[in-house]
Amino acid sequence: LGPLCQGRTPSELACIRVADIACGSGAFLLAAYEYLHNYFLDWYLKDGVDQHSDKLYEKPSAQWHLTLREKRRILLEHIFGVDIDPHAADITRLGLLLKILEDENRATAEAYSEEQGNRILPDLRKNVQCGNTLVDSNYFNYCPDALTSSDAFSQINPFNWEEQFPEILEEGGLDAIIGNPPYTRIQNMVHYSPREVQYYQSEISPYECAQSDNFDKYALFIERAL
């Protein structure tokens, strides 16, 4: 994120979108949020507190903090994630919500709610979604029977980026992909998801790295990220 942000104003970063496409429990997204939070806070303070009074407030300890409204904005506009495990997606959302509540108390939270007329915590279901980053509905052209088998469908759990993140894709895509996708050799994949492996290696698959006889699932995530 450093090279993307360095020397740029918050307005110049207004459309920066960061995603972890195999987010797990959200450790990398929490770090990304914290990085952007600190970057904006430092920028506002250096630019002048009086000019950004709607984004900053000072505690009795003489420490400056971002307002809950600004923290919500950073989270909703800049942070995105996908994971195949619905429980992992839930944990990520919870972790991010707890993160924006740091330094808040009942008074500041209720003040935000009264001023904005919004619920205190945002809905993150559009930001952090559940699905298979590597497989979209193109899979059904390869394996049509997965449409009629609930077990096959749930195992693959296809995810269409163009449908789930339409605005981001229409505006050029994501600006940064972060994280640490799973390392899984093809020799292990064939044991728990043989159909998926066959799809990756088929002519209908979009993945070039899977055309070799020996590949790692990590490489598929890198290719998807690009």
Side-chain angles (χ1 to χ4, degrees):
L1 296 180
L4 280 176
C5 297
Q6 190 171 9
R8 301 176 71 182
T9 68
S11 60
E12 290 171 332
L13 295 173
C15 293
I16 288 290
R17 283 138 172 176
V18 182
D20 186 340
I21 61 175
C23 66
S25 58
F28 286 88
L29 290 179
L30 287 168
Y33 168 80
E34 189 167 6
Y35 181 94
L36 292 173
H37 171 283
N38 293 340
Y39 184 91
F40 288 133
L41 175 61
D42 291 343
W43 196 94
Y44 294 140
L45 292 174
K46 290 175 182 177
D47 194 52
V49 171
D50 293 339
Q51 299 184 67
H52 303 287
S53 58
D54 60 327
K55 299 178 177 64
L56 299 166
Y57 71 95
E58 186 179 17
K59 283 194 170 182
S61 59
Q63 288 185 321
W64 288 92
H65 298 271
L66 293 180
T67 62
L68 181 55
R69 178 183 180 186
E70 177 65 2
K71 290 191 291 185
R72 282 174 50 112
R73 184 199 67 78
I74 293 170
L75 181 55
L76 289 171
E77 295 182 6
H78 300 299
I79 301 296
F80 300 89
V82 179
D83 197 271
I84 195 170
D85 183 349
H87 301 297
D90 285 340
I91 292 170
T92 296
R93 295 185 195 110
L94 177 60
L96 290 168
L97 292 174
L98 291 173
K99 195 69 177 174
I100 66 169
L101 288 178
E102 287 182 357
D103 303 316
E104 300 297 332
N105 55 42
R106 182 171 181 175
T108 59
E110 289 181 348
Y112 167 83
S113 182
E114 292 177 6
E115 177 188 341
Q116 300 298 319
N118 289 335
R119 50 190 286 184
I120 294 168
L121 294 176
D123 185 346
L124 295 182
R125 283 176 294 181
K126 289 185 178 180
N127 288 68
V128 179
Q129 300 193 39
C130 178
N132 190 335
T133 287
L134 300 177
V135 179
D136 58 22
S137 57
N138 181 52
Y139 177 80
F140 301 122
N141 295 321
Y142 171 76
C143 185
D145 63 325
L147 280 170
T148 58
S149 168
S150 58
D151 289 339
F153 189 92
S154 61
Q155 184 180 22
I156 296 298
N157 197 9
F159 187 82
N160 292 312
W161 282 85
E162 291 77 8
E163 293 178 9
Q164 303 306 121
F165 292 109
E167 293 181 5
I168 291 176
L169 272 294
E170 289 171 5
E171 294 174 7
L174 295 155
D175 299 279
I177 306 289
I178 60 173
N180 186 25
Y183 292 79
T184 311
R185 302 300 296 172
I186 183 175
Q187 292 88 344
N188 293 325
M189 276 191 280
V190 295
H191 293 302
Y192 71 83
S193 188
R195 277 190 170 184
E196 196 173 348
V197 174
Q198 292 164 11
Y199 166 70
Y200 294 141
Q201 294 185 312
S202 72
E203 293 183 357
I204 202 172
S205 164
Y207 298 105
E208 294 182 15
C209 63
Q211 301 311 307
S212 63
D213 293 332
N214 188 16
F215 69 94
D216 195 293
K217 200 169 190 177
Y218 188 95
L220 302 178
F221 282 97
I222 297 298
E223 195 168 332
R224 169 61 81 188
L226 294 172

